[in-house]
Amino acid sequence: MPAAPAKLSVCFSHVHMYCNALREPEEYRRLEDKLNDFSKICSAGGAGTADVKAGREAWLGLQVKHGDPVAKVSTPEDYSPIGQDIVEQLLVGLGW
């Protein structure tokens, strides 16, 4: 009688990411400060309820205090997901 197939289990303890360049840690700290201030101004009301226009205006208003650390300034129409900074994406996208 053939042996029963073993269940396959896969898990990850870490992920490697490679990039061509990283900025100085201070640049990411400046972005973190800007994101923290942004989170105090804008709070999401749940999926599909965010006021994107008001959020963009609030974000752009933070340029006076924080400038544009890391981020490539662009209009929503000109934004491209290609060639983005990986650390910036982790900070912005995941809220780290």
Side-chain angles (χ1 to χ4, degrees):
M1 183 175 237
K7 281 192 170 185
L8 184 59
S9 175
V10 177
C11 61
F12 296 94
S13 62
H14 62 280
V15 176
H16 289 269
M17 293 185 187
Y18 298 92
C19 63
N20 293 329
L22 290 173
R23 299 175 193 274
E24 293 296 322
E26 182 56 34
E27 187 79 2
Y28 297 115
R29 285 189 206 102
R30 289 180 47 227
L31 176 60
E32 180 183 19
D33 290 342
K34 187 174 182 178
L35 289 167
N36 285 333
D37 281 356
F38 182 70
S39 72
K40 293 172 188 170
I41 296 170
C42 294
S43 60
T49 61
D51 184 342
V52 175
K53 183 178 179 186
R56 178 163 171 73
E57 289 173 5
W59 180 256
L60 294 174
L62 291 171
Q63 287 175 322
V64 173
K65 179 178 179 183
H66 298 282
D68 291 306
V70 183
K72 294 178 184 175
V73 180
S74 67
T75 64
E77 298 79 27
D78 293 332
Y79 174 79
S80 172
I82 307 298
Q84 299 295 318
D85 183 292
I86 186 65
V87 177
E88 174 193 7
Q89 292 300 300
L90 290 171
L91 289 170
V92 173
L94 299 178
W96 290 348

